[in-house]
């Protein structure tokens, strides 16, 4: 990492840990390939080896994005080993939505696995698979069926957890994975259009349901309410 690009000691950065983004995280010390951060104790739950992303302003161009792995934890302080150099992210709001779509997980020298999407955006996806051995930082190829279109892209496992199905009944272990990826603009547009279409449909259905509920209440109240 070019340490001169990273905020100085005492600065504040954003820490993306997969299912949560921590803001106003304080920079304690910056070395050539390691950054020490101070977190509130309630948020200092990351494990060694976890993959994270650091972000900080990059002027009018957007913001810097720096990937890294947790090297050491000490109460509310963590050491992060940075991977490569910071990249520029254009500032835009990534739409997130979806759920239930089929997703194919492809890894070298491993059988392909089919899972279900929980939600996705233009740069990340949360999905569930049957009990499968996955580790943070593992590289893979993901393929998703989004309506009539298919997108596929290389990705890296960001956070992985093994949880037990509880609903509707206690069941087997499943693997929850958050993966991050870099999209070309064509595939990003496909995801964006797909998610926004689902959001529009959900809003229409909610409005229709609210109208029906109002009609039912009016009918139940009878002529006296009119």
């Amino acid at each position: 990492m070019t340490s001169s690009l990273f905020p100085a000691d005492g600065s504040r950065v954003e820490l993306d840990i997969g299912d949560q983004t921590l803001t106003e995280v304080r920079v304690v010390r910056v070395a050539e390939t390691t950054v020490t951060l101070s977190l509130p104790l309630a948020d200092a739950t990351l494990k060694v080896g976890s993959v994270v992303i650091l972000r900080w302003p990059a002027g009018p161009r957007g913001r810097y994005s720096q990937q890294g792995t947790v090297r050491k934890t000490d109460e509310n302080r963590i050491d992060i080993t940075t991977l490569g150099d910071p990249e520029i992210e254009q500032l835009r709001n990534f739409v997130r939505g979806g759920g239930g779509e089929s997703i194919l997980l492809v890894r070298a020298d491993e059988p392909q696995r089919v899972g279900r999407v929980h939600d996705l955006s233009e740069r990340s996806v949360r999905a569930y698979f049957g009990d499968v051995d996955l580790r943070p930082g593992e590289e893979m190829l993901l393929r998703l069926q989004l309506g009539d279109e298919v997108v596929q892209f290389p990705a890296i496992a960001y956070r992985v957890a093994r949880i037990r199905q509880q609903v509707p009944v206690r069941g087997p272990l499943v693997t929850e994975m958050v993966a991050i990826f870099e999209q070309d603009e064509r595939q990003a547009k496909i995801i964006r259009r797909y998610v926004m279409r689902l959001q529009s449909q959900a809003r229409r259905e909610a409005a229709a349901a609210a109208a029906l509920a109002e009609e039912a209440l009016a009918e139940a109240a009878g002529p006296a309410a009119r």
Side-chain angles (χ1 to χ4, degrees), residues 71-85:
R71 175 185 177 186
K72 179 184 176 183
T73 63
D74 183 10
E75 294 186 346
N76 69 321
R77 292 193 176 186
I78 61 172
D79 288 350
I80 295 175
T81 299
T82 55
L83 306 174
D85 290 324

Side-chain angles (χ1 to χ4, degrees), residues 169-197:
V169 295
R170 182 176 172 83
L173 283 170
V174 296
T175 300
E176 179 191 58
M177 177 191 71
V178 176
I180 56 175
F181 47 83
E182 293 298 329
Q183 282 285 22
D184 61 62
E185 187 57 26
R186 183 189 69 83
Q187 294 198 112
K189 285 182 178 178
I190 292 174
I191 295 175
R192 190 159 57 243
R193 286 197 307 265
Y194 176 78
V195 173
M196 293 181 71
R197 187 164 62 245

